[in-house]
Amino acid sequence: MNENCFVTGGTGYIGQHLLALQTAKGHPVTVLMRKPEALPALQLLVEQHGGNGSLLRAVAGDLAKPDLGLDAAGLLLVGQAKVLFHLGAQFAWGLTLEQARAVNVNGALGVAQLAAKQGSRLLMVSGFMLENQGHLQRVGVDLAQPARTDWPAVYRRVGGYEGSKLEAHFKVLECMQALGGELTVVHPATVCGHSQTGHILPAQPLAELISNLARGKLSAIPGTPAHWLPLVTVDFLVELMVAAAFDPSQVGKQVLALDERTPNLPGMLAVLAESLNRQAPRRFMPISVLRWLLKIPGLPKLLSTSPESLDFIQTTRFDTSATKALALKHQLVWPDIQQAMQATVRYAEPESAQA
Ligand SMILES: NC(=O)c1ccc[n+]([C@@H]2O[C@H](COP(=O)([O-])OP(=O)(O)OC[C@H]3O[C@@H](n4cnc5c(N)ncnc54)[C@H](OP(=O)(O)O)[C@@H]3O)[C@@H](O)[C@H]2O)c1
């Protein structure tokens, strides 16, 4: 049962928690690292998250390099993995097409080709906007024939990060189909802190939202009472990823990791603000107005908000019945999302948070 795994993005937020869960379950894991000399620090973090750091090995590599920058010894180690978990990505706003594509598209294709070549399953992490067909059509993705999509036009609409995540998804699907590889995709909603410890990193979108609320930078609610920012806790997300990765019934499947009990934006901001001992904003500001305002030079920085982040706030509801069935099959318990939001505030803003 203790199959070997390979992980890209293991030093990142979701990656740290994935490594902790995998090693706690006894899986030896090889991690692709741009700085393999940082392995001891990563082992320490993984131990702090409840994992077993001694089961981790590092291989030097870079998603932006040909063949992932792996040398022959690295390839041998990766070859032992039953599942390749691909999480590594440039996750930032304001990336150019070239920057985003080099890592997020070419890197994902490199991992897919490796998985297919060595006969390992690929567990790829994409994003929940891929389950929003209306959004995909609106931004110009050709759903009938994705290969005919004008990708630079899509990047211009949604920005470098999201454009590259969409392009990577469709190109990896095409690649794995052509090579006959085994693929499972997990689409996370915006990631909430750990349901027990609240652990989150400052660069995570939810941590940025909490920081804006704490500093009084969010004076209006973006959108309408029907808008929401769907969440999933990091601990439930990695449980779902590991369950899906080793479940033969999940080959060829796409798993939406999203907690449908996430309150709509006014409710979410009320919970976060109360935990921060702050007044929640009450006025609404249409997304179109906010998007327009954010074109004013200097304003995105002043408000600590990027126009690229607004696409994730929406009114679409999602069908999570397949995810619920998968969770039930593997006896995974959905954490209470409201309590997880409160724990996240306590972790992210300990000075302001209510005891
Ligand atoms: N967090 C969310 O809300 C969310 C929601 C939906 C989907 N996702 C997806 O989930 C995945 C993980 O997200 P995260 O929040 O954990 O991101 P993160 O904390 O920013 O971590 C990104 C990881 O990618 C690695 N990486 C970046 N460029 C690389 C390169 N050129 N070569 C090798 N590794 C590279 C980083 O390694 P270094 O330590 O070397 O920088 C880091 O380990 C991403 O694919 C993201 O698109 C995240």
Tab-separated table of all heavy atoms in Angstrom, residues 259-302:
chain	number	residue	atom	x	y	z
A	259	ASP	N	-16.427	23.274	-1.431
A	259	ASP	CA	-17.418	23.069	-0.384
A	259	ASP	C	-18.639	23.943	-0.671
A	259	ASP	O	-18.571	25.172	-0.559
A	259	ASP	CB	-16.816	23.441	0.985
A	259	ASP	CG	-17.683	22.941	2.128
A	259	ASP	OD1	-18.927	22.937	1.963
A	259	ASP	OD2	-17.135	22.557	3.169
A	260	GLU	N	-19.728	23.263	-1.061
A	260	GLU	CA	-20.908	24.040	-1.485
A	260	GLU	C	-21.585	24.758	-0.322
A	260	GLU	O	-22.459	25.577	-0.529
A	260	GLU	CB	-21.915	23.141	-2.216
A	260	GLU	CG	-22.529	22.093	-1.335
A	260	GLU	CD	-23.486	21.203	-2.090
A	260	GLU	OE1	-23.516	21.248	-3.325
A	260	GLU	OE2	-24.202	20.439	-1.412
A	261	ARG	N	-21.133	24.457	0.916
A	261	ARG	CA	-21.711	25.190	2.058
A	261	ARG	C	-20.987	26.516	2.312
A	261	ARG	O	-21.290	27.215	3.266
A	261	ARG	CB	-21.657	24.315	3.316
A	261	ARG	CG	-22.528	23.072	3.238
A	261	ARG	CD	-22.096	22.071	4.263
A	261	ARG	NE	-20.652	21.840	4.180
A	261	ARG	CZ	-19.923	21.201	5.059
A	261	ARG	NH1	-20.489	20.703	6.138
A	261	ARG	NH2	-18.625	21.054	4.908
A	262	THR	N	-20.016	26.855	1.458
A	262	THR	CA	-19.368	28.167	1.596
A	262	THR	C	-20.450	29.247	1.495
A	262	THR	O	-21.215	29.264	0.537
A	262	THR	CB	-18.352	28.403	0.439
A	262	THR	OG1	-17.481	27.281	0.342
A	262	THR	CG2	-17.552	29.683	0.668
A	263	PRO	N	-20.528	30.162	2.474
A	263	PRO	CA	-21.570	31.189	2.377
A	263	PRO	C	-21.312	32.138	1.207
A	263	PRO	O	-20.172	32.265	0.752
A	263	PRO	CB	-21.443	31.958	3.700
A	263	PRO	CG	-20.281	31.402	4.430
A	263	PRO	CD	-19.697	30.269	3.673
A	264	ASN	N	-22.379	32.789	0.754
A	264	ASN	CA	-22.203	33.828	-0.263
A	264	ASN	C	-21.310	34.930	0.312
A	264	ASN	O	-21.112	35.004	1.528
A	264	ASN	CB	-23.550	34.390	-0.690
A	264	ASN	CG	-24.262	33.423	-1.624
A	264	ASN	OD1	-23.766	32.326	-1.890
A	264	ASN	ND2	-25.416	33.826	-2.111
A	265	LEU	N	-20.797	35.789	-0.578
A	265	LEU	CA	-19.784	36.759	-0.162
A	265	LEU	C	-20.200	37.615	1.045
A	265	LEU	O	-19.397	37.781	1.977
A	265	LEU	CB	-19.397	37.633	-1.359
A	265	LEU	CG	-17.972	38.152	-1.379
A	265	LEU	CD1	-16.939	37.081	-1.078
A	265	LEU	CD2	-17.679	38.786	-2.715
A	266	PRO	N	-21.434	38.141	1.094
A	266	PRO	CA	-21.785	38.935	2.281
A	266	PRO	C	-21.672	38.110	3.568
A	266	PRO	O	-21.156	38.599	4.579
A	266	PRO	CB	-23.248	39.340	2.026
A	266	PRO	CG	-23.421	39.222	0.538
A	266	PRO	CD	-22.509	38.135	0.091
A	267	GLY	N	-22.111	36.852	3.516
A	267	GLY	CA	-22.034	35.969	4.692
A	267	GLY	C	-20.589	35.639	5.034
A	267	GLY	O	-20.193	35.626	6.206
A	268	MET	N	-19.800	35.391	4.003
A	268	MET	CA	-18.382	35.063	4.246
A	268	MET	C	-17.664	36.253	4.890
A	268	MET	O	-16.946	36.104	5.889
A	268	MET	CB	-17.689	34.719	2.923
A	268	MET	CG	-16.203	34.511	3.077
A	268	MET	SD	-15.323	34.504	1.515
A	268	MET	CE	-15.547	32.852	1.032
A	269	LEU	N	-17.905	37.447	4.342
A	269	LEU	CA	-17.230	38.632	4.892
A	269	LEU	C	-17.701	38.915	6.308
A	269	LEU	O	-16.927	39.364	7.155
A	269	LEU	CB	-17.460	39.844	3.972
A	269	LEU	CG	-16.773	39.732	2.597
A	269	LEU	CD1	-17.145	40.907	1.709
A	269	LEU	CD2	-15.260	39.634	2.736
A	270	ALA	N	-18.981	38.600	6.589
A	270	ALA	CA	-19.495	38.813	7.949
A	270	ALA	C	-18.758	37.891	8.928
A	270	ALA	O	-18.339	38.331	10.012
A	270	ALA	CB	-21.001	38.555	7.984
A	271	VAL	N	-18.564	36.615	8.545
A	271	VAL	CA	-17.853	35.673	9.430
A	271	VAL	C	-16.412	36.132	9.645
A	271	VAL	O	-15.907	36.185	10.773
A	271	VAL	CB	-17.860	34.240	8.822
A	271	VAL	CG1	-16.965	33.303	9.625
A	271	VAL	CG2	-19.274	33.695	8.734
A	272	LEU	N	-15.739	36.499	8.549
A	272	LEU	CA	-14.332	36.899	8.657
A	272	LEU	C	-14.201	38.182	9.480
A	272	LEU	O	-13.333	38.281	10.355
A	272	LEU	CB	-13.720	37.109	7.258
A	272	LEU	CG	-13.701	35.883	6.323
A	272	LEU	CD1	-13.151	36.262	4.952
A	272	LEU	CD2	-12.864	34.742	6.918
A	273	ALA	N	-15.096	39.146	9.200
A	273	ALA	CA	-15.009	40.432	9.903
A	273	ALA	C	-15.286	40.250	11.394
A	273	ALA	O	-14.591	40.828	12.234
A	273	ALA	CB	-15.986	41.435	9.288
A	274	GLU	N	-16.269	39.429	11.720
A	274	GLU	CA	-16.577	39.215	13.141
A	274	GLU	C	-15.360	38.612	13.850
A	274	GLU	O	-15.002	39.020	14.952
A	274	GLU	CB	-17.797	38.297	13.285
A	274	GLU	CG	-18.308	38.290	14.707
A	274	GLU	CD	-19.372	37.244	14.962
A	274	GLU	OE1	-19.765	36.529	14.014
A	274	GLU	OE2	-19.771	37.131	16.129
A	275	SER	N	-14.705	37.655	13.190
A	275	SER	CA	-13.518	37.040	13.801
A	275	SER	C	-12.395	38.057	13.957
A	275	SER	O	-11.488	37.868	14.762
A	275	SER	CB	-13.015	35.872	12.950
A	275	SER	OG	-14.064	35.000	12.653
A	276	LEU	N	-12.426	39.113	13.149
A	276	LEU	CA	-11.382	40.142	13.208
A	276	LEU	C	-11.766	41.307	14.119
A	276	LEU	O	-11.017	42.290	14.198
A	276	LEU	CB	-11.148	40.713	11.794
A	276	LEU	CG	-10.363	39.853	10.808
A	276	LEU	CD1	-10.552	40.380	9.388
A	276	LEU	CD2	-8.885	39.832	11.158
A	277	ASN	N	-12.957	41.206	14.732
A	277	ASN	CA	-13.469	42.328	15.541
A	277	ASN	C	-13.636	43.585	14.700
A	277	ASN	O	-13.285	44.693	15.123
A	277	ASN	CB	-12.519	42.658	16.697
A	277	ASN	CG	-12.628	41.644	17.782
A	277	ASN	OD1	-13.737	41.246	18.150
A	277	ASN	ND2	-11.484	41.195	18.280
A	278	ARG	N	-14.128	43.415	13.483
A	278	ARG	CA	-14.292	44.557	12.568
A	278	ARG	C	-15.713	44.588	12.062
A	278	ARG	O	-16.411	43.570	12.103
A	278	ARG	CB	-13.372	44.388	11.353
A	278	ARG	CG	-11.951	44.729	11.627
A	278	ARG	CD	-11.391	45.503	10.428
A	278	ARG	NE	-10.267	46.346	10.825
A	278	ARG	CZ	-10.222	47.643	10.673
A	278	ARG	NH1	-11.230	48.308	10.183
A	278	ARG	NH2	-9.148	48.333	11.015
A	279	GLN	N	-16.121	45.744	11.543
A	279	GLN	CA	-17.426	45.827	10.885
A	279	GLN	C	-17.281	45.223	9.492
A	279	GLN	O	-16.328	45.558	8.781
A	279	GLN	CB	-17.832	47.303	10.713
A	279	GLN	CG	-18.273	47.986	11.989
A	279	GLN	CD	-19.695	47.564	12.365
A	279	GLN	OE1	-20.388	46.933	11.581
A	279	GLN	NE2	-20.111	47.897	13.574
A	280	ALA	N	-18.228	44.387	9.088
A	280	ALA	CA	-18.202	43.870	7.711
A	280	ALA	C	-18.748	44.952	6.792
A	280	ALA	O	-19.634	45.711	7.188
A	280	ALA	CB	-19.068	42.624	7.608
A	281	PRO	N	-18.224	45.053	5.556
A	281	PRO	CA	-18.818	46.023	4.632
A	281	PRO	C	-20.274	45.646	4.338
A	281	PRO	O	-20.625	44.466	4.360
A	281	PRO	CB	-17.943	45.893	3.373
A	281	PRO	CG	-17.209	44.613	3.513
A	281	PRO	CD	-17.136	44.281	4.960
A	282	ARG	N	-21.129	46.665	4.097
A	282	ARG	CA	-22.549	46.384	3.836
A	282	ARG	C	-22.954	46.784	2.422
A	282	ARG	O	-23.874	46.234	1.859
A	282	ARG	CB	-23.421	47.176	4.814
A	282	ARG	CG	-23.409	46.577	6.197
A	282	ARG	CD	-23.964	47.543	7.215
A	282	ARG	NE	-23.465	47.213	8.530
A	282	ARG	CZ	-24.080	46.403	9.374
A	282	ARG	NH1	-25.217	45.849	9.051
A	282	ARG	NH2	-23.568	46.136	10.562
A	283	ARG	N	-22.265	47.802	1.870
A	283	ARG	CA	-22.633	48.269	0.527
A	283	ARG	C	-22.104	47.279	-0.501
A	283	ARG	O	-21.087	46.619	-0.274
A	283	ARG	CB	-21.981	49.626	0.244
A	283	ARG	CG	-22.619	50.796	0.950
A	283	ARG	CD	-21.946	52.110	0.546
A	283	ARG	NE	-20.506	52.128	0.784
A	283	ARG	CZ	-19.577	52.232	-0.165
A	283	ARG	NH1	-19.911	52.303	-1.428
A	283	ARG	NH2	-18.296	52.264	0.143
A	284	PHE	N	-22.799	47.216	-1.658
A	284	PHE	CA	-22.325	46.362	-2.749
A	284	PHE	C	-21.727	47.236	-3.845
A	284	PHE	O	-22.193	48.348	-4.076
A	284	PHE	CB	-23.485	45.546	-3.341
A	284	PHE	CG	-23.959	44.472	-2.405
A	284	PHE	CD1	-24.990	44.710	-1.509
A	284	PHE	CD2	-23.362	43.222	-2.397
A	284	PHE	CE1	-25.417	43.737	-0.628
A	284	PHE	CE2	-23.780	42.230	-1.516
A	284	PHE	CZ	-24.816	42.489	-0.636
A	285	MET	N	-20.697	46.717	-4.500
A	285	MET	CA	-20.158	47.424	-5.659
A	285	MET	C	-20.138	46.462	-6.844
A	285	MET	O	-19.530	45.375	-6.746
A	285	MET	CB	-18.728	47.905	-5.378
A	285	MET	CG	-18.177	48.637	-6.586
A	285	MET	SD	-16.595	49.412	-6.298
A	285	MET	CE	-16.964	50.626	-5.107
A	286	PRO	N	-20.830	46.821	-7.947
A	286	PRO	CA	-20.868	45.900	-9.094
A	286	PRO	C	-19.452	45.530	-9.545
A	286	PRO	O	-18.562	46.395	-9.548
A	286	PRO	CB	-21.608	46.705	-10.175
A	286	PRO	CG	-22.358	47.762	-9.443
A	286	PRO	CD	-21.566	48.059	-8.198
A	287	ILE	N	-19.282	44.263	-9.929
A	287	ILE	CA	-17.952	43.792	-10.352
A	287	ILE	C	-17.453	44.634	-11.533
A	287	ILE	O	-16.270	44.962	-11.602
A	287	ILE	CB	-18.019	42.298	-10.771
A	287	ILE	CG1	-18.496	41.423	-9.608
A	287	ILE	CG2	-16.711	41.817	-11.371
A	287	ILE	CD1	-17.450	40.921	-8.666
A	288	SER	N	-18.398	45.015	-12.439
A	288	SER	CA	-17.972	45.774	-13.626
A	288	SER	C	-17.375	47.131	-13.208
A	288	SER	O	-16.374	47.575	-13.775
A	288	SER	CB	-19.147	45.979	-14.581
A	288	SER	OG	-20.213	46.570	-13.859
A	289	VAL	N	-17.965	47.751	-12.180
A	289	VAL	CA	-17.452	49.051	-11.716
A	289	VAL	C	-16.076	48.862	-11.076
A	289	VAL	O	-15.123	49.609	-11.330
A	289	VAL	CB	-18.436	49.689	-10.695
A	289	VAL	CG1	-17.859	50.963	-10.104
A	289	VAL	CG2	-19.786	49.946	-11.345
A	290	LEU	N	-15.972	47.798	-10.270
A	290	LEU	CA	-14.704	47.518	-9.592
A	290	LEU	C	-13.598	47.244	-10.627
A	290	LEU	O	-12.476	47.750	-10.519
A	290	LEU	CB	-14.902	46.297	-8.680
A	290	LEU	CG	-13.899	46.094	-7.580
A	290	LEU	CD1	-13.705	47.337	-6.737
A	290	LEU	CD2	-14.376	44.951	-6.665
A	291	ARG	N	-13.955	46.464	-11.643
A	291	ARG	CA	-12.982	46.140	-12.694
A	291	ARG	C	-12.506	47.425	-13.387
A	291	ARG	O	-11.327	47.603	-13.670
A	291	ARG	CB	-13.654	45.210	-13.719
A	291	ARG	CG	-12.687	44.288	-14.436
A	291	ARG	CD	-13.418	43.468	-15.465
A	291	ARG	NE	-14.225	42.396	-14.910
A	291	ARG	CZ	-13.744	41.252	-14.460
A	291	ARG	NH1	-12.458	41.035	-14.497
A	291	ARG	NH2	-14.541	40.326	-13.988
A	292	TRP	N	-13.477	48.326	-13.618
A	292	TRP	CA	-13.153	49.587	-14.278
A	292	TRP	C	-12.240	50.424	-13.374
A	292	TRP	O	-11.232	50.960	-13.816
A	292	TRP	CB	-14.463	50.311	-14.606
A	292	TRP	CG	-14.261	51.611	-15.296
A	292	TRP	CD1	-14.040	51.811	-16.636
A	292	TRP	CD2	-14.229	52.912	-14.683
A	292	TRP	NE1	-13.874	53.149	-16.892
A	292	TRP	CE2	-13.991	53.855	-15.713
A	292	TRP	CE3	-14.391	53.363	-13.374
A	292	TRP	CZ2	-13.903	55.216	-15.464
A	292	TRP	CZ3	-14.297	54.730	-13.128
A	292	TRP	CH2	-14.059	55.641	-14.168
A	293	LEU	N	-12.601	50.490	-12.070
A	293	LEU	CA	-11.804	51.274	-11.123
A	293	LEU	C	-10.365	50.756	-11.047
A	293	LEU	O	-9.410	51.530	-10.933
A	293	LEU	CB	-12.421	51.193	-9.721
A	293	LEU	CG	-13.623	52.087	-9.449
A	293	LEU	CD1	-14.199	51.783	-8.069
A	293	LEU	CD2	-13.202	53.558	-9.518
A	294	LEU	N	-10.236	49.426	-11.140
A	294	LEU	CA	-8.904	48.825	-10.981
A	294	LEU	C	-8.009	49.070	-12.190
A	294	LEU	O	-6.843	48.681	-12.189
A	294	LEU	CB	-9.035	47.331	-10.668
A	294	LEU	CG	-9.581	47.027	-9.265
A	294	LEU	CD1	-9.845	45.538	-9.085
A	294	LEU	CD2	-8.618	47.514	-8.182
A	295	LYS	N	-8.593	49.711	-13.225
A	295	LYS	CA	-7.744	50.084	-14.379
A	295	LYS	C	-6.994	51.379	-14.071
A	295	LYS	O	-6.055	51.743	-14.769
A	295	LYS	CB	-8.616	50.290	-15.620
A	295	LYS	CG	-9.115	48.973	-16.191
A	295	LYS	CD	-9.748	49.174	-17.540
A	295	LYS	CE	-10.205	47.822	-18.076
A	295	LYS	NZ	-11.372	47.895	-18.869
A	296	ILE	N	-7.411	52.082	-13.026
A	296	ILE	CA	-6.752	53.347	-12.684
A	296	ILE	C	-5.371	53.013	-12.101
A	296	ILE	O	-5.269	52.248	-11.130
A	296	ILE	CB	-7.593	54.143	-11.650
A	296	ILE	CG1	-8.960	54.478	-12.269
A	296	ILE	CG2	-6.869	55.399	-11.202
A	296	ILE	CD1	-9.950	55.089	-11.298
A	297	PRO	N	-4.318	53.583	-12.740
A	297	PRO	CA	-2.970	53.235	-12.272
A	297	PRO	C	-2.814	53.484	-10.766
A	297	PRO	O	-3.272	54.507	-10.249
A	297	PRO	CB	-2.057	54.176	-13.078
A	297	PRO	CG	-2.869	54.542	-14.287
A	297	PRO	CD	-4.309	54.524	-13.866
A	298	GLY	N	-2.229	52.543	-10.103
A	298	GLY	CA	-1.957	52.697	-8.667
A	298	GLY	C	-3.064	52.132	-7.786
A	298	GLY	O	-2.806	51.755	-6.644
A	299	LEU	N	-4.295	52.052	-8.317
A	299	LEU	CA	-5.402	51.627	-7.458
A	299	LEU	C	-5.318	50.140	-7.044
A	299	LEU	O	-5.572	49.814	-5.874
A	299	LEU	CB	-6.751	51.925	-8.126
A	299	LEU	CG	-7.843	52.320	-7.134
A	299	LEU	CD1	-7.433	53.532	-6.321
A	299	LEU	CD2	-9.157	52.595	-7.839
A	300	PRO	N	-4.952	49.223	-7.994
A	300	PRO	CA	-4.831	47.824	-7.561
A	300	PRO	C	-3.868	47.687	-6.380
A	300	PRO	O	-4.137	46.957	-5.438
A	300	PRO	CB	-4.297	47.100	-8.804
A	300	PRO	CG	-4.755	47.948	-9.951
A	300	PRO	CD	-4.740	49.364	-9.443
A	301	LYS	N	-2.765	48.467	-6.414
A	301	LYS	CA	-1.782	48.378	-5.323
A	301	LYS	C	-2.377	48.959	-4.043
A	301	LYS	O	-2.269	48.363	-2.959
A	301	LYS	CB	-0.515	49.121	-5.729
A	301	LYS	CG	0.675	48.692	-4.926
A	301	LYS	CD	1.966	49.137	-5.543
A	301	LYS	CE	3.073	48.767	-4.563
A	301	LYS	NZ	4.176	49.663	-4.612
A	302	LEU	N	-3.026	50.099	-4.199
A	302	LEU	CA	-3.606	50.778	-3.035
A	302	LEU	C	-4.656	49.899	-2.359
A	302	LEU	O	-4.716	49.793	-1.130
A	302	LEU	CB	-4.242	52.099	-3.494
A	302	LEU	CG	-4.674	53.043	-2.394
A	302	LEU	CD1	-3.441	53.657	-1.723
A	302	LEU	CD2	-5.550	54.160	-2.960
